[in-house]
Structure formats: C-alpha cells, structure tokens
Amino acid sequence: MFIEGQLRKTRTEEDFIELRVDGPYYTEISKGFWDVYIEINVLVQAAQDQADYHRIHKSVGVVAAAFTQAISIFKLGDNVGDDDSLVACLKLLGDKEKRDRIQISHFGQVEPETGIFQATVEAHYEAQIRE
C-alpha cells in the first residue's frame, strides 16, 4: 500500500493500492461545536490475468470491506495532552435512502499495451467535536 504523495516506483508494480485522504474540513456549527468531514479514496490497480479475469474485482472487494461504519479517533502521541482519550467517532455517510455509501468506480484497462486495470473505492465520513 502506498500513500498519495509518497515517493515510489509503481511502473514495475502490477498490483497495488494507494490511499488518499482529503480533509479534515471543519464547520463551526455553534460556539465550540464543530462538524468534521473527510473523504477517503483508495486507488486499486491490478494487472490483467488470464487465469483470474476477476482479479481487479476481488481486490476492490477487499478494499471496500475495509471501509467500516465508524472510525474512532484518539489522542495518540508523545506530546502534552496526548492521553489516548477518544476525541470523536467518524461516521460513514449514507445516501438519500440512508444506506451506507461506499462508491466504487471502475476505470477499466487504463493502458491497452500494459493490461493494467484501475478502480477507486471512496467513502465520506463526518463527526461532531467540541473544543
């Protein structure tokens, strides 16, 4: 697994995933109370495989299964105030019908000569925190 922006050589990698996190974005809803919003996006790459045509779909399924209903955020670290306490719980946002919304987009074969397939798995989370 790679993190977006990390220096790496992926030209020789047939299969990998790359994590990207946008945010956090904050909106003060009342004095001292905040809405927090983040987007998590994972790029999935898999090489074409004649023995396993569904290789990209299996990899996407593994990534999608890792998106949980909630992500707990704790004060971890070695600084003053880092006491391992729970700060907030990010909740997976749903669609209009209140179902969990994990969006999967398949881009297909991105380069015809290489046989590389790509897809993304994306979800949006929010939490409320107070100062």
Side-chain angles (χ1 to χ4, degrees):
M1 180 171 97
F2 297 107
I3 307 298
E4 184 185 52
Q6 175 185 8
L7 294 176
R8 76 259 192 250
K9 296 179 181 176
T10 56
R11 288 275 180 217
T12 57
E13 299 283 337
E14 290 187 343
D15 295 5
F16 67 87
I17 62 173
E18 179 179 276
L19 172 67
R20 172 181 155 175
V21 178
D22 291 330
Y25 304 106
Y26 298 95
T27 304
E28 189 171 21
I29 54 175
S30 183
K31 182 157 178 59
F33 291 88
W34 298 82
D35 276 342
V36 181
Y37 174 82
I38 67 165
E39 299 170 6
I40 299 175
N41 181 293
V42 178
L43 172 71
V44 180
Q45 177 171 302
Q48 187 174 19
D49 184 350
Q50 297 301 326
D52 184 4
Y53 179 75
H54 302 288
R55 188 171 174 176
I56 185 74
H57 299 283
K58 290 177 183 177
S59 297
V60 165
V62 169
V63 170
F67 281 80
T68 60
Q69 294 285 324
I71 301 171
S72 298
I73 301 176
F74 296 93
K75 285 185 182 180
L76 302 177
D78 298 325
N79 297 316
V80 175
D82 294 337
D83 58 4
D84 297 342
S85 63
L86 180 67
V87 174
C89 190
L90 290 163
K91 180 182 176 232
L92 179 64
L93 292 176
D95 60 14
K96 292 178 184 175
E97 287 79 33
K98 304 294 184 210
R99 296 178 297 210
D100 297 338
R101 182 133 198 285
I102 298 172
Q103 183 174 336
I104 297 172
S105 301
H106 284 274
F107 304 117
Q109 189 172 347
V110 293
E111 294 182 25
E113 61 278 355
T114 62
I116 297 294
F117 287 78
Q118 289 184 340
T120 58
V121 182
E122 182 175 333
H124 302 235
Y125 289 86
E126 72 175 354
Q128 286 74 42
I129 59 172
R130 58 187 244 192
E131 295 176 348

